[in-house]
Amino acid sequence: MKSIKVGILGLGTVGGGTANVLQRNADEISRRAGRNIEVIMASVRDLARPRLCDCSSLTLTTDPFEVVNNPDVDIVVELIGGETLAKELMLLAIDNGKHVVTANKALIALHGNEIFAAAQEQGVSVLFESAVAGGISIIKSIREGLAGNRIELVAGIINGTGNFILTEMRDKGRPFEDVLAEAQALGYAEADPTFDVEGIDAAHKLTILASIAFGIPLQFDKVYTEGITDLSLTDVDYAEQLGYRIKHLGVAKASKDGIEMRVHPTLIPAKRLIANVDGVMNAVMVRGDAVGNTLHYGAGAGAEPTASAVVADIVDVARTITADPHNRVPHLAFQPDALIDLPVKSQDAFECAFYLRFEVNDVAGVMSQLSAQFADQNISIEAITQKEPKVDEDFVSVIFITQRTTEGRVNRAIKQIESMADVRKKAIKIRVEHLN
Amino acid sequence: MKSIKVGILGLGTVGGGTANVLQRNADEISRRAGRNIEVIMASVRDLARPRLCDCSSLTLTTDPFEVVNNPDVDIVVELIGGETLAKELMLLAIDNGKHVVTANKALIALHGNEIFAAAQEQGVSVLFESAVAGGISIIKSIREGLAGNRIELVAGIINGTGNFILTEMRDKGRPFEDVLAEAQALGYAEADPTFDVEGIDAAHKLTILASIAFGIPLQFDKVYTEGITDLSLTDVDYAEQLGYRIKHLGVAKASKDGIEMRVHPTLIPAKRLIANVDGVMNAVMVRGDAVGNTLHYGAGAGAEPTASAVVADIVDVARTITADPHNRVPHLAFQPDALIDLPVKSQDAFECAFYLRFEVNDVAGVMSQLSAQFADQNISIEAITQKEPKVDEDFVSVIFITQRTTEGRVNRAIKQIESMADVRKKAIKIRVEHLN
């Protein structure tokens, strides 16, 4: 039984977790894979640093190029993150005829088209299950499990930090800044939380999900991205009263006039399973024309859940290592020459329902003036609520839930309403997805 | 581009759905698979019967052996059900060097060991994703997506009819017989509902899940099976009041002293996602040592969801058709020579918590007499509730929720309690799984 030899770039949280899982479950894994899988080498930044895993059986080096150029290594596992060095190493590994497994969502979202073309040319695999939603194996589910479907919708809670913050805001009535500080103390959020709270991390993952769902090239720059930093407890609370819950969703939708790719806070009916995914957990809903709605739930981050996906990819590579390179599962689910550059919709063309809150003077006739603007734009209203002024407030909040419409119409209505004398401040607009 | 030629045995609901999905999504599927997949032949019972699919491009025959012996057919899709003819046809197809895709859970659960041995010998694949939980692709998720994990627990709502009945009982307070009659009228339940309501269908599926989770041979006869026919509204209601929901679960659990395989009504904390899976939907929770808890949700039955899984299997076969037969994903997730015949626990050794309800005369001291029996068996009690007599009742219900213990201890305590003078009728015992 030939053993498969793995070299790991980066032995931090996920790298250490991967080495641990491969060692701890070595017997179970070789019973499945039919071969031993052995980590023989790893690159680290500092040889003296304490490790999460037992390194006695592997060669450590501070030079990642040694791993990538080691002729004994069959599979390079890239876990150093970042875009520059990681990309150089990955392309060199591919050039050296090695298979690559990576958890680097930014690298795949931004440079995947180039990387996969190189891999295709060399007849090697680049697998990236751990780049999206950690241990859930959502990429495998879409790419293989739903291969018979025309995928219509992917909607996911794909950033654990953001979901932790929203869950705490709702459950404990704590403001955003307060929960963010705690998440940082707990290690859920980075010192610089921009990627998480501004939705960039989720946008990287959505880029990948949209590609494999619809057979389009990776195009991160076309994802509309809105974070959770501006979300107020007031709206979290009003949403709840109206039977909704606010989640930060990545949404990719296909319709006959194009693809929507967007990341933003979203009202979801509270009774949907995905509305009840709390804390740092991730979940992705996928709708296919044959299968209907499916939901895939699990830990989206952390050393071992991410390692679970990395190891699954390693086993997949081991299983196809002798296979015809042109008959493997294609990187982006569709054959490279069958990707279609479908039009990606701009924000004005997004189709969904909307939660809109206006702060208005409590004078007669204001509600009918507001309603008239929606009628002008042909927007149907699902529900209207007027809230009493809170203590110290001299205005009332008026909340509209629209029926499904386009964002362009809604923006035009908002512009008209904001120009009205009795309307205060900027309107609050949050998208609503019913996911039924 | 060589096309893959499919022959279908049985063109009923699932067969018609499969042909429809393959035709409707032909372009999408060949963009993914890199080859065309074409149904060229199907066997039916009655040529004159109206069809769910367009049959103009395929040869219909009433002789299924014609399909299995057709040298042009690459993949035989077995959808006739049953164990005798289906098995004969499947073994003949394998013998003829054809790959097989099947939705036949009974056949796999009861004869899978023999069928897979034959397939292994011939170097062909037998895929059966659609046999468990329809479109969810739970087999792929466990067998491949979680290949790095030691699986600890699988717990699933894997019979849609049963879940529909339990959901209606809870939501509308309707008794079992009443809902069953409606389910039959709606076509969710068969005219003979035994397989669904007695848990046999779920036990077939659990047999398969346990094998691929733990690497043990298929052994349907060792699954403990209890249906939902004896479940009363009283207990559905009391469970709800205590913060639980009753679901009919298939549970497979690994511990160092053996495997538990059991199918029965189960109290689950109402806040768990799986407790909120309602109607005919299926969901399977899988716990791995690295990934933690995952949940996989979707439609478990119906023409197109089942067809979704059948087509995914066909695409999988198409992708590995040129591969080294000994390097494919093994049928039962583990290499055939690596399956281990772990001990399967008997009912007395099952470990979980229990909901126990006793009907007792409303006399002083009875509660302490009952409690003493649990103390005698070293069973700790989590909660005790005494319910007022209902109108027309001259007894009170006493409900105990135990902490985790063995079923043997619980049965001994029940036996003692049932022999007491002030205790009426048979005790109600329902297992509790916290799934946290």
Side-chain angles (χ1 to χ4, degrees):
Chain A
M1 185 164 66
K2 183 187 176 303
S3 83
I4 299 285
K5 294 188 169 52
V6 173
I8 300 181
L9 306 174
L11 217 49
T13 308
V14 177
T18 299
N20 274 335
V21 170
L22 283 170
Q23 284 165 12
R24 185 177 73 233
N25 292 346
D27 177 52
E28 196 102 358
I29 292 167
S30 77
R31 283 175 60 206
R32 290 196 179 100
R35 9 185 125 207
N36 293 323
I37 292 169
E38 201 186 336
V39 182
I40 60 165
M41 193 176 206
S43 73
V44 297
R45 250 187 298 199
D46 175 2
L47 288 170
R49 214 160 129 188
R51 296 284 145 213
L52 293 167
C53 58
D54 172 11
C55 296
S56 56
S57 63
L58 49 142
T59 310
L60 290 187
T61 169
T62 54
D63 178 10
F65 288 90
E66 255 192 76
V67 177
V68 166
N69 289 322
N70 182 336
D72 291 337
V73 166
D74 301 302
I75 303 174
V76 170
V77 178
E78 184 278 305
L79 299 170
I80 57 175
E83 292 168 43
T84 315
L85 178 60
K87 183 180 171 192
E88 186 185 348
L89 288 163
M90 203 180 281
L91 289 173
L92 182 58
I94 291 167
D95 212 45
N96 287 341
K98 299 188 189 308
H99 301 276
V100 175
V101 171
T102 180
N104 193 330
K105 55 217 84 166
L107 185 56
I108 296 298
L110 296 165
H111 304 285
N113 298 322
E114 179 186 348
I115 290 165
F116 298 146
Q120 184 71 13
E121 177 99 16
Q122 285 291 327
V124 297
S125 294
V126 176
L127 295 188
F128 48 97
E129 183 66 69
S130 53
V132 182
I136 299 182
S137 72
I138 184 64
I139 290 178
K140 181 176 282 287
S141 291
I142 297 177
R143 204 157 59 168
E144 304 174 41
L146 300 176
N149 289 262
R150 194 167 41 76
I151 307 287
E152 297 166 349
L153 172 71
V154 178
I157 295 171
I158 46 181
N159 180 277
T161 310
N163 201 44
F164 172 79
I165 293 173
L166 291 183
T167 303
E168 290 289 301
M169 286 175 72
R170 182 184 79 89
D171 285 358
K172 310 203 176 130
R174 298 168 60 194
F176 172 79
E177 297 74 18
D178 190 18
V179 186
L180 174 59
E182 189 199 347
Q184 288 173 313
L186 287 170
Y188 294 160
E190 307 286 331
D192 175 3
T194 314
F195 267 43
D196 289 328
V197 298
E198 296 293 0
I200 301 163
D201 174 76
H204 286 144
K205 295 166 182 166
L206 187 75
T207 302
I208 297 172
L209 291 175
S211 260
I212 62 169
F214 307 129
I216 57 175
L218 294 155
Q219 37 203 331
F220 171 73
D221 55 327
K222 292 193 183 158
V223 179
Y224 170 84
T225 305
E226 204 175 279
I228 57 173
T229 47
D230 292 335
L231 199 64
S232 77
L233 276 177
T234 305
D235 295 300
V236 169
D237 192 32
Y238 285 159
E240 199 74 15
Q241 292 174 28
L242 291 164
Y244 295 88
R245 201 151 290 169
I246 299 184
K247 291 291 178 189
H248 193 228
L249 281 196
V251 177
K253 230 185 240 189
S255 66
K256 57 183 183 318
D257 43 336
I259 305 287
E260 296 179 41
M261 294 194 287
R262 43 191 169 89
V263 168
H264 49 68
T266 313
L267 271 75
I268 307 168
K271 66 184 169 195
R272 298 275 173 272
L273 280 189
I274 196 170
N276 294 284
V277 170
D278 287 331
V280 294
M281 300 305 280
N282 280 198
V284 181
M285 181 186 146
V286 184
R287 180 185 302 153
D289 68 337
V291 78
N293 288 337
T294 63
L295 186 75
H296 312 258
Y297 163 92
E304 294 239 336
T306 310
S308 168
V310 169
V311 174
D313 276 350
I314 293 172
V315 172
D316 264 4
V317 171
R319 278 178 175 148
T320 55
I321 215 157
T322 58
D324 171 6
H326 299 292
N327 207 18
R328 295 193 189 118
V329 180
H331 292 108
L332 291 176
F334 293 74
Q335 302 293 322
D337 58 4
L339 295 177
I340 297 177
D341 206 351
L342 296 170
V344 175
K345 288 190 190 177
S346 66
Q347 193 182 348
D348 269 2
F350 290 169
E351 280 188 62
C352 58
F354 292 84
Y355 164 103
L356 303 168
R357 182 164 64 86
F358 303 97
E359 295 177 359
V360 302
N361 293 328
D362 193 4
V363 295
V366 68
M367 185 71 96
S368 84
Q369 289 173 43
L370 265 60
S371 300
Q373 298 302 329
F374 291 112
D376 269 7
Q377 296 296 333
N378 262 319
I379 298 168
S380 300
I381 300 300
E382 175 83 30
I384 307 180
T385 312
Q386 181 171 327
K387 294 289 178 186
E388 291 295 299
K390 296 189 174 176
V391 179
D392 295 337
E393 288 179 355
D394 60 349
F395 59 84
V396 295
S397 272
V398 181
I399 297 159
F400 293 81
I401 305 260
T402 76
Q403 290 192 352
R404 198 179 159 81
T405 180
T406 63
E407 189 148 347
R409 288 176 196 272
V410 167
N411 286 344
R412 286 193 291 276
I414 289 174
K415 203 173 162 195
Q416 290 299 319
I417 291 171
E418 283 180 337
S419 72
M420 289 162 57
D422 283 318
V423 175
R424 309 269 187 104
K425 286 187 31 172
K426 229 171 114 27
I428 301 291
K429 174 180 72 180
I430 311 178
R431 293 162 195 87
V432 179
E433 294 285 352
H434 285 99
L435 304 180
N436 50 0
Chain B
M1 187 162 66
K2 181 186 176 306
S3 84
I4 300 286
K5 293 188 169 50
V6 174
I8 301 181
L9 306 174
L11 216 49
T13 309
V14 177
T18 300
N20 274 335
V21 170
L22 282 169
Q23 285 166 11
R24 185 177 73 233
N25 292 345
D27 177 52
E28 195 103 0
I29 292 168
S30 76
R31 283 176 60 206
R32 290 196 179 100
R35 10 186 123 205
N36 293 323
I37 292 169
E38 201 185 336
V39 182
I40 60 165
M41 193 177 207
S43 73
V44 297
R45 252 188 297 198
D46 176 359
L47 287 170
R49 218 163 123 185
R51 297 284 145 213
L52 293 168
C53 57
D54 172 11
C55 297
S56 57
S57 64
L58 50 143
T59 310
L60 291 187
T61 169
T62 54
D63 178 9
F65 289 89
E66 256 192 76
V67 177
V68 166
N69 288 322
N70 183 337
D72 290 336
V73 166
D74 301 302
I75 303 174
V76 171
V77 177
E78 185 278 303
L79 299 170
I80 58 174
E83 290 168 46
T84 314
L85 178 61
K87 183 180 171 191
E88 187 185 346
L89 289 164
M90 203 181 282
L91 288 173
L92 181 58
I94 290 167
D95 212 45
N96 287 341
K98 300 188 190 309
H99 302 274
V100 175
V101 171
T102 180
N104 193 331
K105 55 218 86 165
L107 184 56
I108 296 297
L110 295 165
H111 304 286
N113 298 322
E114 179 187 348
I115 290 165
F116 298 146
Q120 182 74 12
E121 177 98 15
Q122 285 291 327
V124 298
S125 295
V126 176
L127 297 188
F128 49 97
E129 183 67 69
S130 53
V132 182
I136 297 182
S137 74
I138 184 63
I139 290 177
K140 181 175 281 286
S141 291
I142 295 177
R143 205 157 60 168
E144 303 175 40
L146 299 176
N149 289 261
R150 194 166 41 75
I151 307 288
E152 298 165 349
L153 171 71
V154 178
I157 296 171
I158 47 182
N159 181 277
T161 309
N163 201 45
F164 172 79
I165 293 174
L166 292 182
T167 304
E168 289 290 301
M169 286 175 72
R170 183 183 77 88
D171 286 358
K172 311 206 174 127
R174 299 167 60 193
F176 171 80
E177 296 74 19
D178 190 19
V179 186
L180 174 59
E182 189 200 346
Q184 287 172 314
L186 286 170
Y188 294 162
E190 307 285 331
D192 175 2
T194 315
F195 267 44
D196 289 328
V197 299
E198 297 292 0
I200 301 164
D201 174 76
H204 287 144
K205 295 167 183 166
L206 187 75
T207 302
I208 298 172
L209 290 175
S211 261
I212 62 170
F214 308 130
I216 58 176
L218 293 155
Q219 37 204 331
F220 171 73
D221 55 326
K222 291 192 183 158
V223 179
Y224 171 84
T225 306
E226 206 175 278
I228 57 173
T229 47
D230 292 335
L231 200 65
S232 76
L233 275 176
T234 305
D235 295 301
V236 168
D237 191 32
Y238 286 159
E240 200 74 15
Q241 292 175 29
L242 291 163
Y244 294 88
R245 200 150 292 168
I246 300 184
K247 291 291 178 187
H248 194 229
L249 281 194
V251 177
K253 229 185 241 190
S255 67
K256 58 182 182 318
D257 43 338
I259 305 287
E260 294 178 41
M261 293 194 286
R262 43 190 168 88
V263 169
H264 49 68
T266 314
L267 271 76
I268 307 169
K271 64 184 171 197
R272 297 275 172 273
L273 280 191
I274 196 171
N276 294 284
V277 170
D278 286 333
V280 294
M281 301 303 282
N282 280 197
V284 182
M285 180 186 147
V286 184
R287 180 185 302 154
D289 68 337
V291 77
N293 288 338
T294 63
L295 186 76
H296 312 257
Y297 163 93
E304 294 240 335
T306 310
S308 167
V310 170
V311 174
D313 276 351
I314 293 173
V315 173
D316 264 6
V317 171
R319 278 176 175 148
T320 55
I321 215 156
T322 58
D324 171 7
H326 299 293
N327 207 19
R328 295 194 189 117
V329 180
H331 292 107
L332 291 175
F334 293 74
Q335 302 294 322
D337 58 3
L339 294 177
I340 297 177
D341 206 352
L342 296 170
V344 175
K345 289 189 190 177
S346 66
Q347 192 181 350
D348 270 2
F350 290 170
E351 281 188 62
C352 59
F354 291 85
Y355 164 102
L356 302 167
R357 181 163 65 86
F358 303 96
E359 295 178 358
V360 302
N361 293 327
D362 194 4
V363 295
V366 68
M367 185 71 98
S368 84
Q369 289 173 45
L370 265 60
S371 300
Q373 298 303 329
F374 292 112
D376 269 7
Q377 295 295 335
N378 262 319
I379 299 168
S380 300
I381 301 299
E382 175 82 32
I384 306 181
T385 312
Q386 183 170 326
K387 295 288 178 186
E388 291 296 300
K390 296 190 175 176
V391 178
D392 295 334
E393 288 179 354
D394 60 348
F395 58 83
V396 295
S397 271
V398 180
I399 298 160
F400 292 82
I401 305 260
T402 75
Q403 291 193 351
R404 198 179 159 82
T405 180
T406 63
E407 188 148 346
R409 288 176 198 272
V410 166
N411 286 345
R412 287 192 291 276
I414 289 174
K415 202 172 162 193
Q416 289 299 318
I417 291 170
E418 283 180 337
S419 72
M420 289 161 57
D422 283 320
V423 175
R424 308 270 187 103
K425 284 186 36 171
K426 232 173 113 22
I428 301 291
K429 174 180 75 180
I430 311 178
R431 295 162 194 86
V432 179
E433 294 286 351
H434 285 97
L435 304 181
N436 50 0

